[in-house]
Amino acid sequence: MSGMSKIVKTIASLAFPFVMIYGLYIIAHGHLTPGGGFQGGAIVASGAAMILVAYGSVWTMGKVKEKHLSTLESTGAIVFIGTAILGLLFAGVFFNNFLFDSNLIFNIVPTGGSTVGILNSAGTLPIMNFAVGLKVVAGLFAIVLVMAYATTKMGGNEK
Amino acid sequence: MIPLANPVPYIAVIGLVLVGLFAVVFKRNLIKIVIGITIIESGVNLFLITLGYRENSIAPIYTSSPGGLMSLPVPQALTLTSIVIGVAVLALMISFIVHIYRHYNTLDASKIRGDEE
Amino acid sequence: MSKRNFAAVIFFTIVAVFLFFTALMMHPFGIFDDNNQPEMDDRIIDNSQTETGANNAVTGVVFDYRGFDTLGEATVLFTAVAGVILVFRRLKK
Amino acid sequence: MLDQIISTFETGSGFWNPLVWLTALVIAFLIIYILRGFGKREYKKGTDQTQAFLSGNPEYEKDKMHVKANNVYWGFTESLKSVYNFFDKMHTGNVSDYVLWFVIIMGILFLIFGVI
Amino acid sequence: MNDILSILVNHSPALIVAVPLFGAFLTPLVGMINDKLRNVFVIFITLLTGFFAVILVNEVFTNGIKTYCFGAENPSVNPVVRIFFEVDGMSAFMALIAVILPIVAVIYSWGFAKEETGQSKYYTLILLMTAGILGMVLTGDMFNFFVFLEITSISSAALVAFWTNKKNSVQAAFKYIVISSIGALMVLFAIAIFYGQYNALNMAVIANSIGFGFLDKIALVVLIAALTMKAAIAPMHMWLPDAYSGAPSPVTVVIVGTTLASLYGVFRVVFTIYGKQFLTILRSFGDFAVTPSLIIGVFIVVLAVLTMIIGVFMALKSNNFKRMIGYAAVAEIGYMILAVGSAISTYFIPTGTTTVTMAEHGKMALTGGIFHMINDALDIGLLFLVAGAVYYATKETSLNKLGGLSRKMKYTTVFFLIGLFAVSGLPPMNGFASKLIIYQSTYQVNPVLAIVAILCSIMLLAVFVKVFHSAFLGPEISSIKNVKEVPRSMLIAMGILAALIIFFGLFPEFVITNIVEPAKNALLNSSEYISAILGGV
């Protein structure tokens, strides 16, 4: 697949930054508004998939290797489980929200009831949101990319 | 004493599950079988999310909320997990189908058999 | 109709009937009466701000109360990616 | 610790101690070995004594002498052909059938619990 | 030093899952540096997991049930909102099985998978599978169980399709994932019913508040059907020979663990969650009372007899080495559930209608069934490793094309003989010890069951004698003349399993009193499981 027409390519590359910003917003505000790492990650990954469809899998494979995506995904996963293990080291329980109500970042405790959201709250939750977001972006895009590339190679008359 | 208050959402759930199961049992095309599994999964997800609804409630989010009764958050979290798992399973099943088609040149489930030896 | 489809239809109908009754027997949609209060969820709604600091109770559940499930879920996605890459890898000839 | 390891194991209607059994086995083998010593020593290597005798026919190549797995227990499968036909029909290899069996088991269990 | 150890013991339920997960996430990165380093790393991770498993098991067997809450030191238990790990004797027993198999598999893979591409992903998935099995057997939360069930099924399905150039592997993987995803979705359906009724996901809480109404019956049926399908009980066993024969041998060894973990799920649901309602009298005919335990027990026994018979008959006919062992594995599963089914139907009976001796026999049958689980894992594992070694040396699994291997592969032949003795229940191997218990106790329940079991065992012997004759004995076959003994790592892996088999066989009483009895007691006392979380409520 060598990609679609010029119109599609242009529009896809124009829309991609907006999709990405929107996805990042969803990830960053996961602990305040509807959304979170998975949802935002899926949005960014679908933006990337749009680029993939517009430009074709061979071109995209030239820019991004599945190895890099795999590394990125591993990094996300390690950050996620690492946060959980840090909870074990600092607070004595696996998966403890050790940043919450501490004197580091993300430490503001919201007053109860309906409030305006404070981004700097919720302890380890934003970190985990970002880790999961990274993981989902890399993971979903890797799945789409690998499948598209492999089927392009296999397609045609080859049995 | 069957409570007939409003079982329509639950009936929709069961309908989805049955439609999916029907597709898996009676359809021969592998893609349709996969679609059937996806439908079962949607049914179960709908079941979970249905259990979380409370009458006259708002989303369980405090950021500028109007206040009042909130719907249950746990089923929403479970559904989120279940959806992601569904995506993962779907991706893997589709990749197997790609390979099966390469080997067998057909998607007829009754012709996809292993070697006896 | 083949023998197989005949058996399939019969047992499918049985399963359908029983599942249909399941739908009727569930607690009424959206109504929680006095002896069926969602204690677990009410506790989460009441305490998610003070215990996790998240305004979004769902995120509180996903990443704090049931954080281990989310680790499992992330692992599932990781597994699927590893599986897809493994299945589409280049085989040595 | 040691007596716990080698203790006899009671099954409720019998007992089993592998070490005693092993001892018995070793003694039995010793007796057999001694008995074997009484046998005749007329076996000579390199003579016709070691040749296979196929009613006077020449011996086949080594490959062909080996009974293949397909032919082992041929009589058993042949005499139980009806049973095997049934089992073969069951193992269709079709994934829909696999799920159908699941539906059938679920239906049977539903019926049992529903009727009682 | 003691402080560190006690901290480790305290956190071992979390670490035992976290370590293989962490290792799995790290493996692709380590794999970029060096192949050998990655193999060492993976073996180290599995050994570390094994270490945590051993200290956890030791703790559980000496101090009783261990619970671990994720996320809070002093969690609220009324209601239970957080995820709990609850390790009782049965979980600890399963954890032992679940760590032995991956250790063997990764050691074996060092030699076996040397020539393959994609090894990083391969080892990653094996570690994920390990983590999944451990999570399944240790968790005390229904939804968590579902999540780990999915992890194991996805990773094992991907590994079944490891040889994508073989159509057998790919179709087996597809069938396996269809079966397991439907099973998992049905489990989720039952979990949703529980959640809707009791607003709880914790097993102990559900077990505490469970009744036996219509919805509970539906949930029970769906759970039993789905989990027995995943545990390959006839007539839902057909995916097993496909998947076992399609997968590379070391992977199959770990998949044996996933099958047993699903069986553990059946036990957990039946014994713990529904344990309180076992004696509800559904209907009585005069003196004869129909209870859930009777129905479930008889149903399981019927399926068990079917499983054994179908397993051995199909194995006898099969001409593919791995497929044959797959069918033998089905038959072995039949033995376990035969014992457990007869235990359920005799032990859980309304007071006054049973005799004390009968309940004792039921208990003994349960011991035999549980003991047979670990024996089955070891025996079938060893046989699959031998099949893998034969495949590695000859690139052939069809028994028709094999012959005379014992001339070149001496050690493999010895290991095969040990596996043959063990799986067909010949003394002094471990299979004999557990099968003896099963024969004797089921004979007290119903003599027909014991006779069927013994006949099936004889046929299993016949099956493997056929393999021994056609693959290992006989003259050298000209088409596979250049056979060599397999690399040392594979021999070491087979040796570990063989040593365990002989140890278990020679000292059955030691093994039973130390690891099987606690598991049995844990299954029989569901109230202990409940009070460990709810604190004597």
Side-chain angles (χ1 to χ4, degrees):
Chain A
M1 212 183 355
S2 57
M4 291 178 160
S5 69
K6 204 154 203 171
I7 301 171
V8 179
K9 280 183 185 171
T10 315
I11 290 180
S13 38
L14 273 179
F16 181 62
F18 293 102
V19 175
M20 195 145 165
I21 291 291
Y22 181 58
L24 288 177
Y25 164 80
I26 297 266
I27 296 176
H29 290 245
H31 53 297
L32 301 174
T33 56
F38 284 103
Q39 296 91 327
I43 291 169
V44 177
S46 42
M50 177 175 73
I51 293 288
L52 171 71
V53 172
Y55 282 85
S57 53
V58 179
W59 182 87
T60 323
M61 203 62 158
K63 299 276 171 196
V64 192
K65 285 275 181 305
E66 84 211 42
K67 214 198 245 171
H68 306 148
L69 289 174
S70 184
T71 315
L72 213 59
E73 206 203 353
S74 280
T75 318
I78 288 170
V79 170
F80 189 37
I81 197 171
T83 321
I85 291 177
L86 283 182
L88 175 67
L89 293 182
F90 286 130
V93 183
F94 197 65
F95 255 104
N96 197 305
N97 196 341
F98 66 98
L99 282 176
F100 171 69
D101 210 3
S102 68
N103 42 19
L104 298 163
I105 51 166
F106 298 127
N107 55 349
I108 298 174
V109 182
T111 53
S114 169
T115 53
V116 179
I118 309 159
L119 209 55
N120 192 14
S121 66
T124 53
L125 266 58
I127 298 175
M128 287 183 173
N129 254 330
F130 266 105
V132 168
L134 187 64
K135 232 186 90 57
V136 172
V137 171
L140 289 184
F141 187 47
I143 290 178
V144 178
L145 180 62
V146 168
M147 281 170 87
Y149 187 69
T151 42
T152 329
K153 284 254 142 170
M154 287 169 193
N157 299 321
E158 198 192 336
K159 297 270 163 79
Chain B
M1 50 141 279
I2 298 172
L4 277 170
N6 192 1
V8 176
Y10 298 119
I11 291 174
V13 167
I14 300 300
L16 280 175
V17 171
L18 287 176
V19 167
L21 216 51
F22 180 88
V24 176
V25 174
F26 289 100
K27 290 291 167 187
R28 288 186 141 197
N29 192 315
L30 292 187
I31 301 278
K32 286 180 184 167
I33 290 176
V34 170
I35 292 174
I37 292 174
T38 320
I39 293 173
I40 299 179
E41 187 204 316
S42 325
V44 178
N45 288 345
L46 182 64
F47 194 12
L48 281 170
I49 210 77
T50 306
L51 292 169
Y53 178 71
R54 185 144 53 172
E55 268 189 343
N56 305 319
S57 62
I58 58 166
I61 294 166
Y62 282 101
T63 310
S64 5
S65 77
L69 214 54
M70 284 182 173
S71 56
L72 316 186
V74 172
Q76 304 189 23
L78 302 189
T79 314
L80 180 60
T81 309
S82 162
I83 288 173
V84 175
I85 289 173
V87 169
V89 173
L90 184 64
L92 213 53
M93 283 196 291
I94 294 292
S95 17
F96 290 156
I97 289 183
V98 170
H99 276 288
I100 286 178
Y101 189 74
R102 235 162 38 104
H103 284 300
Y104 288 84
N105 254 336
T106 174
L107 287 177
D108 189 341
S110 57
K111 291 185 183 130
I112 313 292
R113 304 197 54 177
D115 327 328
E116 281 305 318
E117 286 197 6
Chain C
M1 199 189 285
S2 69
K3 219 190 259 174
R4 180 229 185 231
N5 281 7
F6 187 67
V9 166
I10 286 181
F11 281 100
F12 199 82
T13 320
I14 294 169
V15 171
V17 167
F18 274 89
L19 289 185
F20 183 75
F21 273 106
T22 315
L24 297 184
M25 299 289 280
M26 290 304 293
H27 71 77
F29 175 61
I31 300 166
F32 292 90
D33 50 16
D34 284 342
N35 53 7
N36 187 20
Q37 277 297 322
E39 288 173 12
M40 178 169 83
D41 292 86
D42 280 343
R43 196 188 166 284
I44 289 173
I45 290 173
D46 292 342
N47 296 332
S48 81
Q49 270 184 314
T50 51
E51 280 185 357
T52 69
N55 266 351
N56 183 348
V58 177
T59 306
V61 174
V62 167
F63 287 105
D64 193 314
Y65 291 111
R66 303 192 69 81
F68 198 63
D69 271 354
T70 309
L71 178 60
E73 170 192 6
T75 311
V76 168
L77 197 60
F78 184 83
T79 315
V81 174
V84 170
I85 294 178
L86 181 85
V87 170
F88 284 118
R89 77 191 187 280
R90 196 164 293 138
L91 290 165
K92 210 175 272 177
K93 287 285 153 66
Chain D
M1 183 71 183
L2 189 70
D3 58 327
Q4 200 194 352
I5 289 179
I6 59 170
S7 60
T8 305
F9 146 61
E10 307 272 343
T11 61
S13 35
F15 65 92
W16 167 238
N17 193 333
L19 297 177
V20 174
W21 183 87
L22 265 188
T23 326
L25 193 75
V26 168
I27 292 169
F29 267 114
L30 272 179
I31 294 170
I32 292 168
Y33 187 74
I34 291 164
L35 287 179
R36 187 176 172 274
F38 295 133
K40 290 184 178 178
R41 291 192 180 76
E42 286 176 3
Y43 185 82
K44 292 182 194 76
K45 276 189 181 167
T47 60
D48 278 353
Q49 270 183 321
T50 58
Q51 293 287 312
F53 180 68
L54 292 173
S55 312
N57 295 319
E59 194 182 353
Y60 295 114
E61 310 164 33
K62 286 278 183 197
D63 276 19
K64 286 186 182 167
M65 290 296 286
H66 189 47
V67 182
K68 299 283 182 197
N70 226 353
N71 307 325
V72 185
Y73 303 137
W74 171 84
F76 186 84
T77 46
E78 190 68 17
S79 56
L80 289 176
K81 213 165 191 175
S82 53
V83 179
Y84 273 111
N85 275 341
F86 176 71
F87 283 157
D88 281 347
K89 241 182 226 165
M90 220 170 130
H91 294 79
T92 50
N94 183 348
V95 69
S96 299
D97 290 353
Y98 296 7
V99 181
L100 177 61
W101 281 111
F102 167 67
V103 173
I104 289 176
I105 290 288
M106 210 156 73
I108 292 173
L109 270 171
F110 273 144
L111 273 186
I112 294 174
F113 275 103
V115 167
I116 290 179
Chain E
M1 190 61 209
N2 267 337
D3 269 8
I4 295 175
L5 194 66
S6 76
I7 289 173
L8 284 183
V9 168
N10 246 337
H11 293 290
S12 53
L15 287 172
I16 196 175
V17 179
V19 166
L21 277 184
F22 194 73
F25 297 150
L26 219 53
T27 307
L29 303 182
V30 178
M32 283 175 189
I33 305 169
N34 188 335
D35 271 13
K36 215 165 236 172
L37 183 70
R38 180 204 51 222
N39 290 1
V40 172
F41 174 74
V42 171
I43 292 177
F44 169 72
I45 288 287
T46 48
L47 287 176
L48 194 62
T49 316
F51 166 73
F52 283 123
V54 167
I55 58 173
L56 173 66
V57 167
N58 185 34
E59 165 77 8
V60 170
F61 286 167
T62 46
N63 295 337
I65 297 178
K66 179 151 185 56
T67 59
Y68 189 88
C69 174
F70 287 93
E73 255 170 309
N74 301 310
S76 75
V77 292
N78 195 24
V80 176
V81 284
R82 290 179 184 273
I83 293 175
F84 275 88
F85 262 24
E86 185 164 4
V87 191
D88 65 355
M90 188 66 202
S91 308
F93 176 79
M94 291 304 297
L96 269 186
I97 299 179
V99 294
I100 292 171
L101 299 177
I103 291 175
V104 173
V106 293
I107 294 176
Y108 189 86
S109 301
W110 190 320
F112 187 80
K114 211 169 201 167
E115 309 291 317
E116 308 286 345
T117 52
Q119 280 185 62
S120 289
K121 296 291 173 203
Y122 170 86
Y123 284 113
T124 308
L125 287 169
I126 285 191
L127 285 179
L128 287 171
M129 223 149 113
T130 316
I133 302 171
L134 285 167
M136 269 173 85
V137 300
L138 298 182
T139 188
D141 191 280
M142 283 305 279
F143 193 75
N144 208 234
F145 179 81
F146 162 76
V147 170
F148 280 108
L149 184 69
E150 284 283 14
I151 292 178
T152 39
S153 3
I154 293 177
S155 49
S156 41
L159 280 175
V160 170
F162 184 67
W163 287 320
T164 45
N165 52 346
K166 293 188 179 174
K167 61 181 188 180
N168 205 18
S169 304
V170 181
Q171 59 94 18
F174 180 75
K175 287 170 186 170
Y176 182 51
I177 197 160
V178 167
I179 292 291
S180 38
S181 60
I182 286 180
L185 284 172
M186 285 298 155
V187 170
L188 187 58
F189 185 80
I191 293 171
I193 292 179
F194 282 146
Y195 179 80
Q197 268 196 301
Y198 307 112
N199 193 39
L201 292 165
N202 190 289
M203 288 186 195
V205 178
I206 295 172
N208 191 37
S209 47
I210 203 155
F212 209 71
F214 183 79
L215 290 177
D216 300 304
K217 283 180 196 167
I218 298 284
L220 175 66
V221 169
V222 170
L223 277 174
I224 286 189
L227 287 172
T228 47
M229 175 160 77
K230 284 254 7 181
I233 289 167
M236 301 171 281
H237 66 281
M238 284 96 146
W239 63 267
L240 187 140
D242 287 345
Y244 278 26
S245 62
S249 285
V251 174
T252 314
V253 172
V254 192
I255 297 182
V256 172
T258 71
T259 316
L260 291 178
S262 309
L263 199 60
Y264 160 85
V266 179
F267 296 168
R268 186 54 84 204
V269 167
V270 169
F271 280 96
T272 304
I273 294 185
Y274 283 87
K276 241 179 136 182
Q277 296 298 327
F278 259 174
L279 302 182
T280 325
I281 293 173
L282 298 174
R283 180 172 295 194
S284 54
F285 304 99
D287 274 352
F288 185 72
V290 179
T291 57
S293 61
L294 187 73
I295 299 175
I296 298 170
V298 171
F299 189 76
I300 289 182
V301 166
V302 170
L303 286 193
V305 171
L306 205 62
T307 310
M308 286 190 299
I309 293 176
I310 292 180
V312 288
F313 268 79
M314 291 306 288
L316 200 67
K317 194 192 143 205
S318 186
N319 285 327
N320 180 320
F321 198 171
K322 284 170 132 184
R323 216 178 161 75
M324 173 182 269
I325 307 171
Y327 280 117
V330 173
E332 291 281 294
I333 291 166
Y335 281 96
M336 295 167 221
I337 60 167
L338 173 72
V340 173
S342 43
I344 295 175
S345 56
T346 53
Y347 186 75
F348 295 95
I349 278 191
T351 41
T353 55
T354 182
T355 53
V356 179
T357 48
M358 203 61 170
E360 283 301 313
H361 289 308
K363 254 175 151 174
M364 194 40 89
L366 192 57
T367 312
I370 294 170
F371 190 27
H372 202 66
M373 284 173 87
I374 195 162
N375 290 345
D376 163 75
L378 297 175
D379 304 350
I380 298 291
L382 179 60
L383 284 172
F384 268 113
L385 291 188
V386 171
V390 170
Y391 175 79
Y392 183 86
T394 64
K395 299 285 165 217
E396 194 59 68
T397 54
S398 169
L399 289 174
N400 284 333
K401 293 171 188 157
L402 291 174
L405 290 179
S406 64
R407 289 159 201 274
K408 295 280 176 61
M409 304 169 73
K410 291 197 178 59
Y411 295 106
T412 311
T413 312
V414 171
F415 290 135
F416 177 76
L417 273 179
I418 292 173
L420 183 157
F421 271 55
V423 82
S424 47
L426 293 183
M429 301 303 171
N430 57 359
F432 176 74
S434 53
K435 278 186 180 170
L436 182 73
I437 312 176
I438 294 175
Y439 301 148
Q440 294 193 339
S441 47
T442 49
Y443 185 82
Q444 307 288 345
V445 177
N446 192 340
V448 178
L449 298 179
I451 291 167
V452 171
I454 291 173
L455 282 180
C456 286
S457 197
I458 293 168
M459 278 179 65
L460 266 183
L461 179 64
V463 167
F464 286 103
V465 166
K466 168 180 166 182
V467 178
F468 188 56
H469 165 79
S470 50
F472 289 97
L473 299 182
E476 281 177 50
I477 303 287
S478 48
S479 58
I480 46 171
K481 264 228 154 80
N482 302 322
V483 176
K484 272 202 247 35
E485 185 60 279
V486 291
R488 197 174 297 139
S489 75
M490 293 163 75
L491 289 178
I492 291 172
M494 288 189 270
I496 293 173
L497 280 185
L500 280 172
I501 285 174
I502 292 175
F503 177 80
F504 279 35
L506 286 185
F507 312 109
E509 172 72 6
F510 178 70
V511 176
I512 283 175
T513 42
N514 282 303
I515 65 174
V516 180
E517 290 282 327
K520 181 198 77 182
N521 292 335
L523 277 188
L524 293 180
N525 288 330
S526 65
S527 55
E528 254 178 46
Y529 191 88
I530 295 168
S531 62
I533 289 275
L534 298 178
V537 173

